[in-house]
Amino acid sequence: EALARITTHLKLRQLQQQLEEEVKFRKEHAVELEKRNMELNAFARTVAHDLKNPLNGVIGLSELLLVECPKENGFEETGIKYLQLISESGRKMVDIIDALLLLARSSQSDEVYIQAVDMSLLVSQIINKRLFNMCNEFKAEIKFPNTWPVAVGYTPWIEEVWINYLTNALKYGGEPPLLELGANTQADGMIRFWVRDNGPGLTLEAQNKLFTPFMRLHKERADGHGLGLSIVRQVIEKLGGQSGVESIVDQGSLFYFTLPAQV
C-alpha cells in the first residue's frame, strides 16, 4: 500500500512537471507569436507605403497625359484608351493595398478608439463624397431612415464597412439600383444596421461562401479582389458585433452588421 502511494505520488509529480513545462512553452510561444505579428504588421505597412507612392505617381502622370494629350493634338484614340486603363488599374491596386492595410490594422486593438458614431453624418458623407460619382453612374435611388440610433465603435472601420456594403449593392443591385438603408435596436443591446438591394438575390450556397477571403461570386459583372466582406467580418467582430446576409433568389439581398448601442 505504501509503495502504491509513493508510485502514485511520483506519477502525479511527473504530470505536474510536464504541465508546468507545457505552460512555459505556450507562454514563450505566445510572446514569440506576438513579436512576429508586430514585425509582420510593420513590414506590411512599409511595403504598402513604398508601393503606394510610385502607384500614385503613375496614376497622376497618366491622368495628366489624358489632359495634356487630347485627340485633336494628334494623340491616337488607342493611346487615350491605354492611359485610361493605366489609371484604372493603378487605382484598383491602391484599393487592394488599402484593404490589406485595414486588415492588418484590425489585429491591433491599441489603435482603436471607441466612441459614439454619428451614423447619419457618416453615411451622408460617404454617399455625397466617396461614392458620389458611382451613385450618379449607376443612377441609383437610395432611401434613408428618418433617424439613426446611436451605436459605439471605431469610425474609420465602420466607414469602410458601409462603403463595402454600398459599393456591392450598387454593383450587383437592380438596374437601376434601389437601395434601402436602415437600423433596428435589438433586445440584446445591439443595433443592427443594414443595406437592402433590389438585385437578383443569392442562393443559400452562395450566402455560405460570402465573407470568405478572395471570394468573388460575380466575376462576370464587376472587378474586385474578394477581400471586402472578409474585412467587414473581421473588423465588426473586433468591435463586438456580427455581420451577415439575408437573401432570397429574385427578391434581393440584405447585408447587415451589428454594433453595441450607446449606454
Side-chain angles (χ1 to χ4, degrees), residues 18-158:
Q18 291 175 351
L19 181 59
E20 289 173 352
E21 291 175 359
E22 179 70 17
V23 170
K24 181 181 178 182
F25 171 79
R26 290 184 179 275
K27 286 182 178 180
E28 292 174 349
H29 181 69
V31 171
E32 182 65 21
L33 183 60
E34 184 178 359
K35 179 182 177 182
R36 295 301 181 191
N37 283 337
M38 292 177 64
E39 291 174 350
L40 182 60
N41 286 330
F43 175 76
R45 293 185 185 189
T46 301
V47 171
H49 183 270
D50 291 344
L51 283 174
K52 286 182 70 174
N53 280 343
L55 266 178
N56 286 329
V58 170
I59 294 169
L61 288 173
S62 61
E63 292 179 347
L64 180 61
L65 285 172
L66 284 171
V67 174
E68 298 293 333
C69 301
K71 187 177 180 181
E72 54 266 24
N73 287 347
F75 200 72
E76 296 293 334
E77 184 176 346
T78 302
I80 294 176
K81 181 180 179 181
Y82 288 161
L83 285 174
Q84 291 172 336
L85 288 173
I86 291 172
S87 179
E88 291 173 4
S89 297
R91 293 189 180 280
K92 288 176 183 177
M93 291 178 70
V94 170
D95 288 342
I96 293 172
I97 292 171
D98 288 339
L100 291 171
L101 279 175
L102 180 62
L103 195 60
R105 286 196 298 268
S106 67
S107 64
Q108 295 184 327
S109 58
D110 57 334
E111 295 186 358
V112 178
Y113 178 62
I114 303 298
Q115 61 180 348
V117 180
D118 187 338
M119 207 65 75
S120 176
L121 177 62
L122 179 61
V123 172
S124 177
Q125 289 177 339
I126 291 171
I127 297 295
N128 295 320
K129 293 182 180 179
R130 294 187 63 174
L131 297 182
F132 180 78
N133 292 333
M134 191 175 185
C135 290
N136 285 341
E137 177 186 352
F138 284 88
K139 297 180 175 58
E141 179 182 352
I142 304 178
K143 298 180 179 180
F144 305 92
N146 294 326
T147 59
W148 293 88
V150 181
V152 295
Y154 183 52
T155 303
W157 286 359
I158 299 170

Side-chain angles (χ1 to χ4, degrees), residues 171-190:
K171 288 180 179 179
Y172 311 126
E175 299 179 1
L178 172 60
L179 279 56
E180 182 181 0
L181 281 59
N184 307 102
T185 301
Q186 301 180 158
D188 60 359
M190 304 293 286

